[in-house]
Amino acid sequence: MKIIGLIIAILTGVLLLSATADFPIFGDPDSPASTHLSPYYIEKTMEDTSVPNIVTAVLADYRGYDTMYETAVIFTAGLACFIILRIFVREEPGDRLYRHVLTGVTVRVKEGAKLPPSDDFERIDTMWTPPDLIIKTVCRLLIPFIQLFGLYVIAHGHHSPGGGFQGGVILGASIILLAISTDLRTAVQRMREKVDAILCPVGVIIYAGTGALCILFGFNFLDYSALAPLLHVDPITARSHGILIVEIGVGIAVMCTMIWIYNILSSGGKYDEGL
Amino acid sequence: MVWQLDLAILTLVVITAVGSLMVKDLLGAAILFGAYSFMMCALWSIMGAVDVAFTEASVGAGVSTVLFVAAVLRTSRRTRD
Amino acid sequence: MGDLLQIIVAKYNYWIYITLMMIGLYAMIGKNNLVKKIVGMSIFQTAIILFYVSIGVKKGATIPILEHGHGEHGHSAAALIVHAVDYVNPLPHVLMLTAIVVGVATLGVALALAIKVHNRFNTLEEDEILAQIREK
């Protein structure tokens, strides 16, 4: 198999290398990719949408259909992870481990029984490591700032690099950091599986619903200038605001999908203990 | 764009890509893949694609490494190739 | 000799992308471990994204964010003339930005399948899995 793989890879590589002879020179401003459609975007974005970041404007306005279905693909991937791996256990047959906080004595409770919830005992994982003061404190201090930065990235995507995808991933990463620095149960308490599963399609629906709202006003699907009477602004600023609305939808969907996939993968589908 | 910097990062990209496939430990492969993603991010930012670089820095070097580590934790760490 | 050097300087980027693509393709076919195959898939994907982004590069151009005054909205200052040559091509960036995020979502699905395979066969090596299937 290795020999066949090597032959196929080298054959493909030789074919592609021979094709590079016809490529334009690297960094050529007059290459075919840069001469037909993209000059329109560069020159007209400011007039049409008043968004300085061309990438954001093209992503959410000119090519809005593309991004909408990409968001749907991300939601579908999260759903696929859920369907492939999730195991529903009615009552846990294995043992549970509890640790007395003050003395460090570990108690093993058999056959799925539970200790009454109290402050003296905390439940721990089977692969438990002692809590590290530095990691816990630094993560607890850092997580609010990471979330604030994620919100800034979503909201400021019009003027600087950023947008719904990046901001959503950063917001998701903050919850994943919480799960890594403490344990999975702490993160799941903040962000339950039901919340994840509901907010994922909500993000997609915000995007598609903005488009559908434009149809109700008698414009084309995803033509945000229709929202001008609703937002009390002129049509060009309305396109800028419409981009912000759909970016928020994308951010919600991406955030929840990342948390969902991580929780399912790290717990092996059981959703009880993880990394 | 400084071509020496470009060439150095391109070489590092190839080295980390080969390294992540050659190493006999899957956790090491995951970490080297994160380094590969970060080199890619640096390459894109010197090409002027700031949005793509930002996405790769948060997604490729951040979340996908964590997903690999989580999957390796749930399966086995050793490998024969 | 000068011609050859010029060709190398003009095209070396493309050659390295093709090398990366070959590495990824070989890993997907030739490697025995499933996680290594997934790493190879991600490398292949990143190489293609790198190729797309490099198509949009223009020499002497800046990042695709327009210069604008503070607090003014562009349509009121329509006299502001933008030359397409000064900014890199934003279109490949848009296409690839979504591809990266979709890539990590599909990576999650692939890893979930790998975990499922490991739960059933207790190994990630392809030949051992095939041997176990043949025994049945």
Side-chain angles (χ1 to χ4, degrees), chain C residues 29-64:
Chain C
I29 300 169
K31 284 285 171 186
N32 201 21
N33 189 292
L34 290 181
V35 174
K36 284 284 176 69
K37 276 179 192 277
I38 296 169
V39 171
M41 187 184 80
S42 293
I43 288 173
F44 192 96
Q45 186 183 14
T46 331
I48 291 169
I49 295 171
L50 184 56
F51 173 67
Y52 262 82
V53 169
S54 69
I55 283 176
V57 174
K58 292 177 192 167
K59 266 210 175 59
T62 182
I63 58 172

Side-chain angles (χ1 to χ4, degrees), chain A residues 86-147:
Chain A
R86 187 80 170 91
I87 307 161
F88 288 100
V89 196
R90 192 169 296 276
E91 190 58 55
E92 215 170 314
D95 301 343
R96 289 177 179 227
L97 295 175
Y98 289 89
R99 177 175 172 273
H100 194 247
V101 179
L102 292 174
T103 56
V105 177
T106 307
V107 181
R108 179 184 292 268
V109 182
K110 286 205 170 168
E111 301 294 319
K114 286 179 189 172
L115 278 189
S118 67
D119 290 342
D120 294 343
F121 286 94
E122 58 172 5
R123 206 184 144 193
I124 56 173
D125 292 348
T126 41
M127 287 187 293
W128 184 74
T129 45
D132 193 305
L133 181 70
I134 296 173
I135 292 177
K136 262 192 157 172
T137 316
V138 169
C139 289
R140 189 184 298 158
L141 287 176
L142 211 56
I143 285 167
F145 291 100
I146 295 175
Q147 286 172 341

Side-chain angles (χ1 to χ4, degrees), chain B residues 17 20-21 33 36-37 40 64 67-68, chain C residues 20-31 33-49 99-100 102-114:
Chain B
S20 71
L21 292 172
F33 183 71
Y36 167 83
S37 292
M40 231 20 151
S64 73
L67 291 186
F68 267 119
Chain C
L20 278 177
M21 230 181 268
M22 282 160 66
I23 293 169
L25 188 61
Y26 169 70
M28 279 171 77
I29 300 169
K31 284 285 171 186
N33 189 292
L34 290 181
V35 174
K36 284 284 176 69
K37 276 179 192 277
I38 296 169
V39 171
M41 187 184 80
S42 293
I43 288 173
F44 192 96
Q45 186 183 14
T46 331
I48 291 169
I49 295 171
I100 292 174
V102 169
V104 77
T106 51
L107 176 79
V109 178
L111 289 173
L113 283 171

Side-chain angles (χ1 to χ4, degrees), chain B residues 18-43:
Chain B
V18 173
S20 71
L21 292 172
M22 297 281 280
V23 72
K24 300 254 186 253
D25 178 7
L26 287 182
L27 199 60
I31 302 299
L32 273 171
F33 183 71
Y36 167 83
S37 292
F38 193 75
M39 285 299 148
M40 231 20 151
C41 159
L43 197 56

Side-chain angles (χ1 to χ4, degrees), chain A residues 14-50:
Chain A
V14 169
L15 277 174
L16 289 172
L17 277 178
S18 62
T20 51
D22 298 333
F23 281 4
I25 291 172
F26 185 76
D28 184 14
D30 298 323
S31 67
S34 308
T35 42
H36 294 289
L37 187 58
S38 73
Y40 175 84
Y41 288 145
I42 294 171
E43 282 158 10
K44 300 282 189 213
T45 299
M46 208 65 178
E47 279 177 47
D48 286 351
T49 62
S50 79

